[in-house]
Amino acid sequence: MYVGRDMTELTMMPKTEWKDSELAFFHHSMQQVVPYLNLEGQSLHRKIIEEIERRGGLNRNEADYTHGTKVSYD
Protein backbone atom coordinates (compact mmCIF):
# COMPACT_ATOMS: atom_id res chain seq x y z
CA MET A 1 0.00 0.00 0.00
CA TYR A 2 1.30 3.43 -0.99
CA VAL A 3 1.76 5.88 1.86
CA GLY A 4 2.75 9.30 0.66
CA ARG A 5 1.66 12.52 -0.95
CA ASP A 6 -1.34 12.30 -3.24
CA MET A 7 -1.48 13.37 -6.87
CA THR A 8 -3.27 16.63 -6.00
CA GLU A 9 -0.34 17.78 -3.89
CA LEU A 10 2.32 16.47 -6.24
CA THR A 11 0.92 18.16 -9.35
CA MET A 12 1.43 21.51 -7.61
CA MET A 13 5.18 20.97 -7.40
CA PRO A 14 7.90 20.32 -9.99
CA LYS A 15 8.75 16.69 -10.78
CA THR A 16 12.32 17.37 -9.64
CA GLU A 17 11.01 17.58 -6.06
CA TRP A 18 9.19 14.24 -6.20
CA LYS A 19 10.73 11.31 -4.32
CA ASP A 20 11.80 8.24 -6.30
CA SER A 21 9.09 6.22 -4.56
CA GLU A 22 6.43 8.69 -5.69
CA LEU A 23 7.67 8.61 -9.27
CA ALA A 24 7.74 4.80 -9.20
CA PHE A 25 4.26 4.46 -7.70
CA PHE A 26 2.49 6.90 -10.01
CA HIS A 27 4.37 5.64 -13.08
CA HIS A 28 3.28 2.08 -12.28
CA SER A 29 -0.30 3.17 -11.60
CA MET A 30 -0.59 5.21 -14.78
CA GLN A 31 1.10 2.49 -16.82
CA GLN A 32 -1.76 0.16 -15.90
CA VAL A 33 -4.42 2.54 -17.30
CA VAL A 34 -2.58 4.04 -20.30
CA PRO A 35 -5.35 3.12 -22.78
CA TYR A 36 -7.85 5.09 -20.71
CA LEU A 37 -5.83 8.27 -20.06
CA ASN A 38 -6.96 11.50 -21.68
CA LEU A 39 -4.43 13.94 -23.16
CA GLU A 40 -3.76 15.58 -19.80
CA GLY A 41 -3.12 12.20 -18.17
CA GLN A 42 -0.85 11.13 -21.02
CA SER A 43 1.09 14.39 -20.70
CA LEU A 44 1.53 13.91 -16.94
CA HIS A 45 2.66 10.31 -17.44
CA ARG A 46 5.18 11.44 -20.08
CA LYS A 47 6.60 14.04 -17.65
CA ILE A 48 6.94 11.39 -14.94
CA ILE A 49 8.80 9.12 -17.37
CA GLU A 50 11.07 11.97 -18.43
CA GLU A 51 11.94 12.72 -14.80
CA ILE A 52 12.69 9.06 -14.13
CA GLU A 53 14.95 9.01 -17.20
CA ARG A 54 16.61 12.27 -16.15
CA ARG A 55 17.51 10.65 -12.83
CA GLY A 56 19.00 7.66 -14.61
CA GLY A 57 16.18 5.22 -13.93
CA LEU A 58 14.77 3.81 -10.74
CA ASN A 59 17.27 1.05 -9.99
CA ARG A 60 19.51 1.31 -6.97
CA ASN A 61 23.20 0.84 -7.69
CA GLU A 62 23.90 -1.36 -4.69
CA ALA A 63 21.90 -3.71 -2.51
CA ASP A 64 22.43 -4.07 1.22
CA TYR A 65 20.87 -6.21 3.91
CA THR A 66 17.81 -3.94 4.20
CA HIS A 67 17.29 -2.90 0.56
CA GLY A 68 17.33 -4.59 -2.80
CA THR A 69 18.31 -2.98 -6.06
CA LYS A 70 14.74 -2.05 -7.03
CA VAL A 71 13.00 1.05 -5.67
CA SER A 72 10.00 0.05 -3.58
CA TYR A 73 7.06 2.39 -3.21
CA ASP A 74 5.18 0.34 -0.62
Side-chain angles (χ1 to χ4, degrees):
M1 171 179 231
Y2 171 75
V3 178
R5 298 180 286 190
D6 67 2
M7 185 60 80
T8 304
E9 181 178 354
L10 290 170
T11 55
M12 300 298 183
M13 56 194 310
K15 306 297 175 281
T16 55
E17 294 181 18
W18 290 29
K19 298 176 188 172
D20 285 350
S21 61
E22 293 164 338
L23 289 168
F25 175 77
F26 286 107
H27 169 57
H28 179 74
S29 298
M30 295 179 95
Q31 189 175 35
Q32 301 299 308
V33 295
V34 163
Y36 308 105
L37 292 175
N38 63 15
L39 289 177
E40 186 177 353
Q42 291 174 15
S43 175
L44 177 60
H45 189 216
R46 167 59 37 208
K47 290 175 184 173
I48 290 171
I49 292 169
E50 289 171 357
E51 180 60 23
I52 291 169
E53 290 173 348
R54 189 190 70 74
R55 294 183 187 191
L58 292 174
N59 294 325
R60 293 171 52 99
N61 293 329
E62 297 179 9
D64 58 27
Y65 70 96
T66 60
H67 298 95
T69 56
K70 185 176 180 181
V71 173
S72 174
Y73 49 80
D74 286 338

